[in-house]
Amino acid sequence: MTVSAVPVRTFPTMGTVVSLRGADAETAARVRAVFAGYDHRYSRYDPASVLSRVAAGTLRLADTPEEVRDVYALALTWRDRTAGAFTPHRPDGTIDLSGVVKALAVRDAGVLLDAVSPDWMLSAGGDVLVRGTSDGAPWRVGVVDPDRRDALADVVQLDAPRRAVATSGTAERGEHVWRRSVPTFAQVTVVADDIVTADVLATAVLAGDEADLARTTADGTVDVLAFGVDGRAWATPGLAARSCSRMGA
């Protein structure tokens, strides 16, 4: 059965909407359960979640499930790798893992999907992970123009091993990222081999400045398209090569 023959399945979670192509109803239900589990543990909007209880002081971090402590440790590792541009702490010091848990949910859902389907696409609030093709053609992901939400700034083609793309910006959700300097970027898109890397680095560059962008792209392991608050645009050679529109022209 082709991907186009299977209905697009959507569901709300984590304050966004997940869209799934290439999966039957049973598999989609299992994917939804993956996201529900992460939301139950890490939501800062649910007073009963593990992280909300930690923030309220009714549960010590040391007493949380090992999985929660492992995710916090992962976030701290990314903080160190990004020289602090990405952080798992709010300005008041409380732990907030929202910068990584959505990507982890996408990652785990992807493992589930890999086991049952050779071709699929999973999209969750700016994070996209794919496998295989869309009816024999490479998957393509649109990047919204940060100045015109009804237009695309670019369309990026995804081929293995580059299976993941994440976009972080201010146009839809406002200033939801904790900037560590005067805002340099309005929107950042990162293409990578895995969704956690793409998502974290998109957030880190958005929160930082041109030095953070240079550090992120120095080794060529990710492709980046960034738009500055002053209207400038940056595209790595790898991103330009994947562009299906103006950036590759």
Side-chain angles (χ1 to χ4, degrees), residues 56-69:
T58 59
L59 177 66
R60 297 191 311 159
L61 179 63
D63 296 330
T64 62
E66 182 179 4
E67 176 187 351
V68 174
R69 286 177 277 127

Side-chain angles (χ1 to χ4, degrees), residues 34-117:
V34 169
F35 280 88
Y38 272 94
D39 201 26
H40 175 69
R41 289 186 294 275
Y42 301 102
S43 174
R44 288 297 306 271
Y45 301 99
D46 179 0
S49 76
V50 173
L51 277 196
S52 288
R53 291 161 60 199
V54 171
T58 59
L59 177 66
R60 297 191 311 159
L61 179 63
D63 296 330
T64 62
E66 182 179 4
E67 176 187 351
V68 174
R69 286 177 277 127
D70 286 346
V71 170
Y72 180 53
L74 173 66
L76 291 177
T77 298
W78 277 110
R79 182 193 63 184
D80 295 341
R81 289 176 62 180
T82 60
F86 174 87
T87 176
H89 300 106
R90 292 187 174 187
D92 63 4
T94 59
I95 298 173
D96 190 331
L97 298 176
S98 58
V100 70
V101 294
K102 177 162 61 72
L104 289 172
V106 173
R107 180 201 65 183
D108 290 356
V111 172
L112 186 158
L113 289 163
D114 277 344
V116 299
S117 176

